[in-house]
Amino acid sequence: MNNLKSVNLSKSYTTNEESIDVLHSINLTINLHDQIAISGNSGSGKSTLLHLLAALDTPTSGKICIDDVDISSFTKNELSKHRLENFGFVYQFHHLMEDLTVIENILIPGQLANTNPSLKDDAHELAELIGLSHRLNHLPWKLSGGEKQRVAIARALINKPKIIFLDEPTGNLDDKNAQIIQDLLFDISNKHGVALVAATHDNNFIKNFKTIYKIEDKNLEPEPWLAPPTSILIS
């Protein structure tokens, strides 16, 4: 995979026979190595956009393309395979499996993909990378909030994704742990060429991104006071 595109992407929901528009005609290109932040008020559609880009939701109109191939032509199995091989996900809340250890949580996506013969070695390397190699056999309840989020990052990285989608990854952390998570994510992105696409309110986090946009009135617009656009096309 070389790039991911949305083309005239729109999303609306129907509630009690009323249609609610969330996103309108979003044109967005994500290339490898990109670092893109998307800001906006609560309820503006940031998370919805991430879910659409990651093929976790379907658009009302428009399309998502991988290397110019419309993913609506994919079967469910092909979509699942695509997500496992190309995407990682980190959310505001870590969503760890509470009855699994640190190493077991990290391994989950790799076990689902079942394509990596060195999976366990890679998981141990990731645990070292996030500074939790001494906690491999601990259950999540024994970890701090920042440590849990680091485990979630390692889990997102286990299949060597091309893009990591981040939905308010620092929103539930204190300043110290938020900084640790920021530093870890950008270090990984810069060293390994993993693209970052983040929905966030955190201005300390946002300022590190090369490309910054805001969702306002259902549209995606450049945020000129933060950074110039580099890889997103605006309709």
Side-chain angles (χ1 to χ4, degrees):
M1 190 189 87
N2 294 309
N3 62 53
L4 178 70
K5 295 181 181 178
S6 69
V7 181
N8 295 326
L9 192 72
S10 297
K11 182 67 177 180
S12 60
Y13 296 97
T14 301
T15 305
N16 296 327
E17 300 183 356
E18 178 185 5
S19 180
I20 300 173
D21 294 330
V22 180
L23 298 171
H24 176 68
S25 195
I26 305 294
N27 289 292
L28 166 65
T29 299
I30 304 166
N31 296 304
L32 303 185
H33 306 276
D34 279 351
Q35 296 170 348
I36 299 168
I38 300 169
S39 67
N41 295 329
S42 295
S44 62
K46 300 187 302 298
S47 296
T48 298
L49 179 56
L50 291 192
H51 290 167
L52 291 168
L53 293 169
L56 294 171
D57 196 1
T58 55
T60 305
S61 62
K63 59 185 178 180
I64 301 290
C65 296
I66 298 168
D67 297 336
D68 296 322
V69 178
D70 185 350
I71 67 170
S72 65
S73 65
F74 291 8
T75 66
K76 287 184 179 180
N77 286 340
E78 286 172 337
L79 268 181
S80 295
K81 184 174 184 290
H82 157 70
R83 283 193 296 263
L84 280 170
E85 291 179 350
N86 293 299
F87 295 159
F89 306 90
V90 180
Y91 297 96
Q92 179 174 352
F93 300 99
H94 49 80
H95 297 302
L96 301 181
M97 301 294 290
E98 295 294 332
D99 56 345
L100 298 181
T101 64
V102 165
I103 193 67
E104 289 169 338
N105 269 283
I106 294 172
L107 284 167
I108 290 172
Q111 291 169 334
L112 290 171
N114 195 29
T115 57
N116 183 0
S118 60
L119 180 63
K120 290 187 177 179
D121 289 338
D122 289 349
H124 281 82
E125 288 181 14
L126 284 171
E128 183 74 29
L129 176 67
I130 63 172
L132 290 177
S133 56
H134 61 299
R135 299 271 198 152
L136 293 181
N137 296 313
H138 287 208
L139 294 171
W141 67 268
K142 294 184 177 181
L143 306 179
S144 69
E147 288 172 332
K148 291 176 183 177
Q149 197 66 313
R150 280 186 268 164
V151 176
I153 291 171
R155 180 181 59 190
L157 289 167
I158 191 63
N159 286 340
K160 299 180 174 64
K162 304 293 194 304
I163 302 172
I164 297 180
F165 292 99
L166 307 157
D167 196 353
E168 300 286 2
T170 60
N172 202 38
L173 302 175
D174 58 42
D175 289 345
K176 179 180 178 181
N177 278 299
Q179 189 64 54
I180 290 171
I181 295 303
Q182 290 177 42
D183 293 344
L184 178 60
L185 287 167
F186 281 100
D187 186 55
I188 290 165
S189 178
N190 292 327
K191 286 183 178 178
H192 302 286
V194 180
L196 303 179
V197 181
T200 181
H201 290 103
D202 185 345
N203 284 337
N204 287 327
F205 190 34
I206 287 175
K207 68 184 181 182
N208 295 289
F209 285 82
K210 296 175 182 177
T211 306
I212 305 169
Y213 282 79
K214 184 176 184 179
I215 295 179
E216 192 166 27
D217 296 327
K218 309 175 188 65
N219 296 302
L220 189 67
E221 302 290 348
E223 191 72 290
W225 64 273
L226 289 169
T230 57
S231 63
I232 294 183
L233 307 176
I234 302 299
S235 60

